[in-house]
Every structure is written in structure tokens, then in C-alpha cells.
């Protein structure tokens, strides 16, 4: 199952599904991790909702300075994701690495109270994103390994919906604190730190330390192509077959013996021999180069729609509400009609939002339209991309594979933040956004061709 597959092989995960019964849609670990993400996102989004305005209006940062910090915010996590993913696979303890990541991010929240210059803020944000980079791939690997291959889209959709509930409550909490507290920004940072600690406690107390057998079984079988898949794979690439067969054999050997061999760096890098993983990573990076960061989207919307500063923290709430409502159904839709179709459609929706910001600034419904489209974009891409890796990457290397794709995307968005901030400073926000829109259109067209399946289906 790549981006285009609609279902798992008939034998994948059937034993585990029989044990679970027909009523259970997702594994319990998915729900617990979703709760951890919900709490953590309340903390993170409280800061994210006020940070752009705080930096630009209170500290007087230019768009270029803000773009630099925003790039650091995304770029550092990208670099650390590879390390986090590989270490999680190597030591065979995804929970430990995820816990370290969540803990480091929680530690950084009170440090924002002491930061006032671009240097100190950059250091604190870099540490915070280091925590995010450490936790992302191990967390997604725990979700993927606990879920049958044919239900990956639904599982990630449920997790992202819970995550987005936190993203929705965070800006609302920040808005209320700013309106009631005397030192509004300091109060936001302080409360955010307390909430982050709660998320770490839930992870430590309720997330199991070892994966259940379902994920390993599903991962091993996912690497075994079906009869029709054999014909397609033979026509596609010999090195893909070799890499995936070797990895699947390794999974089966470890499952049979009960031993957990450490993953070597060479084994993780060998994932790049799989053509489909290279295609996913390359397209994620290509599209990330022209995806304007959320903070810039909200700043653009505020300026073009004339939104008062006190209402700015509520803008991420609009995106989060739509994402929350659509994450699960869109994930299930991707499982049925093909992840490539949904993934590319999400970027087409984002392009529509850019067009509205450029050419319809006087539309009364502009904030609702842009935030709605922004939420649809995330529902169609955020969980669909990692779900597409379920059958591409074997179970014992799942975190490393997720980290490779996530890193390529985050590094590209880091470059986009720097370039967009510089373009805004030099030429204004309109030309900067127009350039991003044109670039996104071209990159989406290229991705549509690269991700096209060999047999011509959607």
C-alpha cells in the first residue's frame, strides 16, 4: 500500500482484528497517545497563538527576523527527527524517546519568560523543537505498529483529531488569559509550562512501554506483496523488492525468535533504496518548499482582513476546528480512494486559500474561508502522509522511515520560512505570497506525476 493503495492484503492483520472484535476501531495506545498529544498541544498552541504577535508588535521583530525564528522553530525539529527515529528503532523503546522529547519541550516553556532577544528566543525555541523532533517519529511509530495496515489512515486520523482538539483549546485559553491577566504574555507562558508537565505525566503513567504484537505482525506482512503486487513490483524496481524483502525477513526472524536486535545506521540508511520512500520524501520536501508557515498565514490574514490584535490568538482556533471535524473522515476516505489523491487535493485546497488572500482581501467572509480551507489542508495531509508509509517501511524500521520523510518536509519548510520572511521584507507580503502560490502550483503538478502509480490507477 503506497499512496495509491485502497486496502491491505487480505491476510494482513486478520488474526489481530479477530481478537479485537468488530466494534473496536483503533488500538488503546492510539487513544492514550492522542490524549498526550491533546494535552501537549494545549500547551504548545497557547504559545504558538500569541508568539507571532508578541515578536512583531511587542519586541518589534521585522518579517525577516520573525521568519528566521520561525525557520529555526521548524528546522531544528527536522534535524533531530532523524536522530530520534533511529535511536527509537535502535534501542527498541519508542516510549522512552517520546518521553524525553515531551519532557524537553515542557522544560522550555518557563524559559520563554526569561527570553527577550532574538538570540535567547532562538535558543529556547531550538530546544523546544529539539523535543518535538525527538518525540514525533517514535510516537507515530507506536501508532503505526499498533494498527493493522488497512486501518492506518483511520488510526492517524483519530490521533490527529485528538491532537487538534488541543490545538483548538490552546488558542482559546491564551485568548482568555490575555484578556484577564495583567501580564498577559507572561501568564500565557507560565500556564503553558504547567499544562506541558501534565502531558508528560500521562505519557509516563499510561502509555505501555512495549508495542503489542499486532503492529509487528502487520508490519511484517505489509512487506510481503500480494500476487498482483508482485507483478507491479517487478515492473517498478528491483532494488525496492530487495530492500523490502530483506527488511520483512528481518522482521519475521526477530518475531519468531523473540529477540530484538539493535538497528544499525547502515540498515536505516538502506531504506533510501526503496524508490517509493524516496518519492514520498522528495515530494514532501518539494511541497514543503512552497508551504507558507501557519504563523505567516495568520499574520497575512490579520492584515488583509483588518482583524484587531486582541482577536489574533483565536485565528488558529478556526483552523483547528475544521481539522478536528475532518481528520477522521478524511483519513478513512484516504484508506478507501487512495492517499495520493487526498494528499494532492489537500494542497489544491491550500492553493485556493492563498488565492483568496491575494485577490479577495475585501470579502467579508475572508477569515472564515481562509481558516476553513487551512483546516481542510491539514486534514488531508497531516495524517495521510505517515499513514502512506505503513506498507513501505518494515516494522522494525518504522520510526526511522517516518523520520526520513518528516525531516525532508520540515527542512523544506524551514527554507520556506526564511525565504518568505526575506521576500516580505524586500518586496512586501503580496509578492511574497504570490511567489509561494505559483511555486506550490508547479510543485503539486510535479508531485502528481512522481507519485503516480505504475499501473495507471489513482
Amino acid at each position: 500500500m503506497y499512496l495509491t493503495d485502497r486496502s491491505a492484503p487480505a491476510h494482513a492483520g486478520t488474526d489481530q482484528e479477530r481478537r479485537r472484535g468488530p466494534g473496536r476501531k483503533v488500538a488503546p495506545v492510539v487513544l492514550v497517545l492522542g490524549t498526550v498529544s491533546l494535552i501537549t498541544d494545549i500547551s504548545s498552541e497557547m504559545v504558538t497563538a500569541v508568539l507571532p504577535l508578541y515578536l512583531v508588535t511587542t519586541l518589534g521583530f521585522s518579517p525577516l527576523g520573525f521568519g528566521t525564528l520561525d525557520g529555526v522553530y521548524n528546522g531544528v525539529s527536522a534535524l533531530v527527527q532523524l536522530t530520534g527515529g533511529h535511536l527509537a528503532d535502535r534501542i527498541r523503546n519508542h516510549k522512552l524517546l517520546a518521553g524525553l522529547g515531551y519532557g524537553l519541550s515542557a522544560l522550555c516553556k518557563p524559559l520563554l519568560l526569561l527570553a527577550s532577544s532574538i538570540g535567547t528566543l532562538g535558543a529556547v525555541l531550538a530546544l523546544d523543537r529539539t523535543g518535538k523532533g525527538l518525540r514525533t517519529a517514535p510516537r507515530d511509530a507506536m501508532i503505526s505498529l499498533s494498527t493493522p495496515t488497512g486501518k492506518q489512515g483511520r488510526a492517524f486520523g483519530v490521533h490527529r483529531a485528538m491532537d487538534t482538539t488541543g490545538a483548538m483549546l490552546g488558542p482559546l485559553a491564551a485568548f482568555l488569559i490575555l484578556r484577564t491577566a495583567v501580564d498577559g504574555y507572561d501568564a500565557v507562558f507560565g500556564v503553558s509550562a504547567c499544562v506541558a508537565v501534565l502531558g508528560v505525566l500521562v505519557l509516563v503513567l499510561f502509555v505501555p512501554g512495549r508495542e503489542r504484537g499486532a503492529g509487528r505482525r502487520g508490519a511484517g506482512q505489509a512487506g510481503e506483496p500480494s500476487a498482483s503486487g508482485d507483478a507491479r513490483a517487478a515492473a517498478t524496481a528491483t532494488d525496492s523488492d530487495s530492500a523490502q524483502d530483506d527488511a520483512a525477513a528481518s522482521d519475521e526472524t526477530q518475531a519468531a525468535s523473540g529477540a530484538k536486535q539493535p538497528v544499525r545506521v547502515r540498515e536505516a540508511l538502506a531504506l533510501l533504496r526503496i524508490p517509493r520512500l524516496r518519492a514520498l520524501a522528495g515530494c514532501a520536501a518539494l511541497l514543503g518548499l512552497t508551504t507558507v508557515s501557519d504563523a505567516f498565514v495568520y499574520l497575512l490574514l490579520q492584515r488583509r482582513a483588518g482583524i484587531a490584535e486582541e482577536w489574533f490568538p483565536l485565528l488558529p482556533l478556526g483552523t483547528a476546528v475544521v481539522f478536528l471535524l475532518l481528520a477522521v473522515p478524511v483519513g478513512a476516505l484516504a484508506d478507501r480512494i487512495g492517499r495520493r489523491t487526498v494528499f494532492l487535493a489537500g494542497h489544491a485546497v491550500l492553493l485556493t486559500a492563498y488565492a483568496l488572500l491575494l485577490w479577495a482581501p475585501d470579502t467579508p467572509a475572508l477569515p472564515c474561508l481562509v481558516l476553513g480551507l487551512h483546516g481542510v489542508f491539514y486534514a488531508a495531509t497531516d495524517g495521510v502522509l505517515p499513514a502512506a508509509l505503513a506498507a513501505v517501511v518494515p516494522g522494525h524500521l518504522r520510526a526511522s522511515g517516518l523520520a526520513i520523510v518528516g525531516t525532508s518536509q520540515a527542512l523544506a519548510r524551514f527554507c520556506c520560512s526564511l525565504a518568505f520572511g526575506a521576500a516580505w521584507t524586500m518586496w512586501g507580503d503580496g509578492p511574497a505570497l504570490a511567489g509561494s502560490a505559483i511555486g506550490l502550483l508547479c510543485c503539486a503538478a510535479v508531485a502528481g506525476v512522481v507519485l503516480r502509480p505504475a499501473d495507471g490507477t489513482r
Side-chain angles (χ1 to χ4, degrees), residues 151-172:
K151 295 184 178 180
Q152 294 280 324
R154 180 182 293 276
F156 277 102
V158 168
H159 174 267
R160 295 314 194 253
M162 298 180 71
D163 180 271
T164 306
T165 302
M168 180 177 66
L169 296 175
L172 184 60

Side-chain angles (χ1 to χ4, degrees), residues 29-291:
V29 69
V30 177
L31 300 178
V32 179
L33 287 170
T35 302
V36 174
S37 293
L38 185 154
I39 296 171
T40 303
D41 244 37
I42 292 175
S43 170
S44 299
E45 293 301 324
M46 285 176 66
V47 174
T48 302
V50 302
L51 195 60
L53 206 62
Y54 174 67
L55 295 177
V56 173
T57 62
T58 303
L59 299 184
F61 280 34
S62 68
L64 178 58
F66 174 71
T68 302
L69 279 181
D70 190 63
V72 169
Y73 199 68
N74 291 295
V76 171
S77 65
L79 295 174
V80 179
Q81 268 193 63
L82 284 175
T83 303
H86 175 67
L87 286 177
D89 285 336
R90 185 174 180 82
I91 68 176
R92 295 299 185 186
N93 195 331
H94 296 125
K95 177 184 175 179
L96 175 62
L97 263 294
L100 289 175
Y102 281 109
L104 184 58
S105 293
L107 180 65
C108 291
K109 296 300 188 298
L111 297 180
L112 289 170
L113 295 168
L114 308 176
S116 59
S117 66
I118 190 171
T120 54
L121 273 169
V124 173
L125 293 178
L127 283 175
D128 178 70
R129 293 297 91 181
T130 298
K132 179 175 175 58
L134 283 175
R135 71 180 184 248
T136 299
R139 180 204 65 204
D140 285 352
M142 284 190 282
I143 295 172
S144 183
L145 290 170
S146 66
T147 305
T149 306
K151 295 184 178 180
Q152 294 280 324
R154 180 182 293 276
F156 277 102
V158 168
H159 174 267
R160 295 314 194 253
M162 298 180 71
D163 180 271
T164 306
T165 302
M168 180 177 66
L169 296 175
L172 184 60
F175 172 74
L176 295 175
I177 291 172
L178 285 178
R179 290 183 66 88
T180 56
V182 177
D183 297 322
Y185 289 114
D186 289 348
V188 168
F189 298 151
V191 174
S192 172
C194 297
V195 176
V197 172
L198 177 61
V200 177
L201 290 176
V202 173
L203 175 78
V204 172
L205 295 176
F206 298 106
V207 174
R210 300 293 178 186
E211 291 79 16
R212 302 292 186 244
R216 186 172 298 281
R217 177 183 296 271
Q221 290 173 342
E224 299 170 7
S226 63
S228 60
D230 284 339
R232 288 196 299 269
T236 305
T238 303
D239 56 343
S240 174
D241 293 342
S242 176
Q244 289 181 289
D245 289 346
D246 291 346
S250 177
D251 270 356
E252 292 167 359
T253 300
Q254 292 184 29
S257 64
K260 293 186 175 182
Q261 301 296 329
V263 175
R264 296 168 296 177
V265 174
R266 180 184 302 176
E267 192 176 2
L269 292 177
L271 290 173
L272 295 173
R273 292 166 50 197
I274 303 175
R276 199 63 183 184
L277 185 138
R278 292 201 304 267
L280 286 170
C283 290
L286 191 65
L287 293 166
L289 285 172
T290 52
T291 301

